[in-house]
Amino acid sequence: MNFKNVIEITEKKSKFYGYLLECKSEEQIKTALSFLQKEHKKATHICYAYRLSSPFCEKAVDDGEPSGTAGRPILSVLQKKAVSDVCVFIVRYFGGIKLGAGGLVRVYIKATSELFK
């Protein structure tokens, strides 16, 4: 899989791996998600968001995280950066310490922003 950038963040014993994918179709996103699910079989969550330009489409997926704490924060970074034809995946391995809704939002925003540095 050809990810443009990959990062790792640790927050209160949870590990977050971010992947930036340049893509033109939902099919490419499904293929990348399938790849990450195989690579990270023991991951607790694989959250993601994407923006496609033609036809215009954007989507956010929390994958079991509390509603609005993962996919939407990722998507908000993509919108603020005005990027399209990209998908950001954040893989989380739960470390045993709950981060709370605010903590999750902050980590997902931080991880997504790091991918664009």
Side-chain angles (χ1 to χ4, degrees):
M1 196 86 297
N2 290 333
F3 293 105
K4 186 172 183 208
N5 201 359
V6 179
I7 58 100
E8 178 184 338
I9 293 175
T10 302
E11 185 74 28
K12 294 186 179 177
K13 297 186 181 180
S14 283
K15 292 229 181 259
F16 295 84
Y17 298 91
Y19 296 86
L20 176 61
L21 176 70
E22 291 180 335
C23 54
K24 295 279 185 192
S25 71
E26 290 182 354
E27 194 59 41
Q28 287 175 292
I29 294 163
K30 288 177 187 172
T31 299
L33 178 60
S34 178
F35 172 82
L36 290 173
Q37 287 169 332
K38 288 175 186 153
E39 287 290 304
H40 296 278
K41 288 180 181 158
K42 294 186 178 186
T44 316
H45 308 280
I46 300 178
C47 306
Y48 61 98
Y50 61 85
R51 297 184 81 211
L52 300 175
S53 62
S54 182
F56 178 77
C57 176
E58 55 183 26
K59 184 174 180 178
V61 176
D62 290 322
D63 188 39
E65 291 283 30
S67 182
T69 61
R72 274 192 251 150
I74 296 167
L75 182 58
S76 73
V77 173
L78 300 180
Q79 291 167 333
K80 285 178 186 162
K81 294 196 172 292
V83 294
S84 59
D85 297 327
V86 296
C87 182
V88 168
F89 297 94
I90 308 292
V91 178
R92 180 184 184 194
Y93 287 85
F94 181 61
I97 299 172
K98 292 189 177 187
L99 303 178
L104 286 171
V105 169
R106 280 189 295 279
V107 173
Y108 281 104
I109 287 173
K110 178 181 176 183
T112 304
S113 298
E114 287 287 320
L115 285 166
F116 289 95
K117 289 186 176 176

